[in-house]
Amino acid sequence: MLGRNAADDGARNPLQEWLKFLRLIDVATPVDLQIHLIADNYAPHKHAKVQRWLKRHPRFHVHFTPTSLFRDSLKPDTLRSMRKFVISLAVLAMTIPASAQLATKKSLTLAAAKTIAAAAEAEARKNNWNVVISIVDDGANLLYLERMDGTQIGSVDIAPMKARTAIRMKRPTKVLEDAVLGGRNTMLKLPDVLPVEGGIPLTIDGVMIGAIGISGVTSAQDGQIAAAGAKALEGMK
């Protein structure tokens, strides 16, 4: 990879050569990659300094070939088979993904948001309630907003605030409202938090992927509509 011998710059010292080689590989390899080395099984790698270095650099994985004494005792066919195995191991090592991979998670899509909103709207219409329906993603970013005919204009701002509060605080806004009613007035001073029922996190497989916020009727009725919307998520995967 470097195009030169790691020991070219000075006197030969097996231990120092090993450490210098490891440092060169560490510097030259991107930090997000695992490093698999195949080396002769001889004494320097067993030295305490080398072992301590490897322990501090867990992305290094060292695989050793047999010693020369052991190789000399092998039959030619066995040795050829082992060489093929080592080559295969080297190829496999290059295909092993790094441990620092990006997380895989489910995200709330626009299509899913529309399905959730439709369920919430159906609950509102069933009760002749006019509301604003807001859905945000797990970063509290607005994904969907719907204002039913006849809904007060102020709810266009309030519904998203409830949704953002639910996902930021990771709990239904009713929990915060109950805390305020119980005397915890400090909740009213939290930045960008609206402690009024009507916001519910959207959860799938135990992970919060967004939230729904409703405004337009009483807070209890807003909460009822939000719960109907959140329930629609149960059938999605």
Side-chain angles (χ1 to χ4, degrees):
M1 178 177 67
L2 300 172
R4 62 188 178 86
N5 191 317
D8 283 348
D9 300 329
R12 295 185 62 83
N13 180 309
L15 174 60
Q16 294 305 318
E17 287 179 13
W18 246 95
L19 292 172
K20 186 174 183 179
F21 170 70
L22 293 174
R23 294 188 191 106
L24 287 172
I25 296 297
D26 189 37
V27 171
T29 305
V31 295
D32 61 331
L33 296 179
Q34 297 287 290
I35 300 174
H36 291 258
L37 302 177
I38 298 177
D40 284 335
N41 190 5
Y42 69 119
H45 79 273
K46 301 177 183 177
H47 195 282
K49 289 185 177 180
V50 175
Q51 293 299 311
R52 286 196 297 269
W53 193 97
L54 291 172
K55 188 174 182 179
R56 293 195 305 269
H57 299 78
R59 69 174 179 145
F60 275 74
H61 308 274
V62 185
H63 311 275
F64 298 102
T65 60
T67 60
S68 58
L69 179 62
F70 178 67
R71 286 198 305 268
D72 292 342
S73 66
L74 295 175
K75 295 180 180 180
D77 290 343
T78 303
L79 185 58
R80 280 195 294 271
S81 296
M82 292 187 67
R83 284 172 178 167
K84 290 181 180 179
F85 171 76
V86 170
I87 293 173
S88 298
L89 182 62
V91 173
L92 177 62
M94 290 187 291
T95 66
I96 297 177
S99 60
Q101 294 293 312
L102 295 177
T104 300
K105 67 176 185 179
K106 292 185 178 180
S107 300
L108 192 60
T109 63
L110 179 58
K114 288 181 177 180
T115 299
I116 295 167
E121 181 183 349
E123 180 67 19
R125 291 194 182 281
K126 182 178 70 175
N127 292 280
N128 294 316
W129 295 333
N130 297 325
V131 297
V132 170
I133 302 167
S134 175
I135 297 176
V136 300
D137 62 17
D138 59 354
N141 302 299
L142 183 63
L143 187 59
Y144 182 88
L145 182 70
E146 175 186 335
R147 175 174 172 254
M148 296 174 64
D149 294 340
T151 307
Q152 59 194 21
I153 297 175
S155 291
V156 173
D157 295 320
I158 297 172
M161 289 177 65
K162 289 183 179 182
R164 288 196 295 269
T165 297
I167 190 62
R168 284 172 175 166
M169 303 302 288
K170 293 191 173 182
R171 67 201 68 191
T173 54
K174 186 181 187 305
V175 174
L176 306 179
E177 181 181 281
D178 290 343
V180 173
L181 294 176
R184 294 192 62 188
N185 294 329
T186 53
M187 288 286 181
L188 299 173
K189 296 183 179 181
L190 296 176
D192 300 318
V193 169
L194 182 61
V196 179
E197 185 176 356
I200 297 179
L202 298 172
T203 305
I204 189 165
D205 295 334
V207 178
M208 294 184 185
I209 61 174
I212 181 172
I214 305 294
S215 175
V217 282
T218 68
S219 60
Q221 292 167 345
D222 288 341
Q224 179 180 329
I225 299 170
K231 188 174 180 60
L233 189 63
E234 295 178 1
M236 302 181 196
K237 291 295 181 182

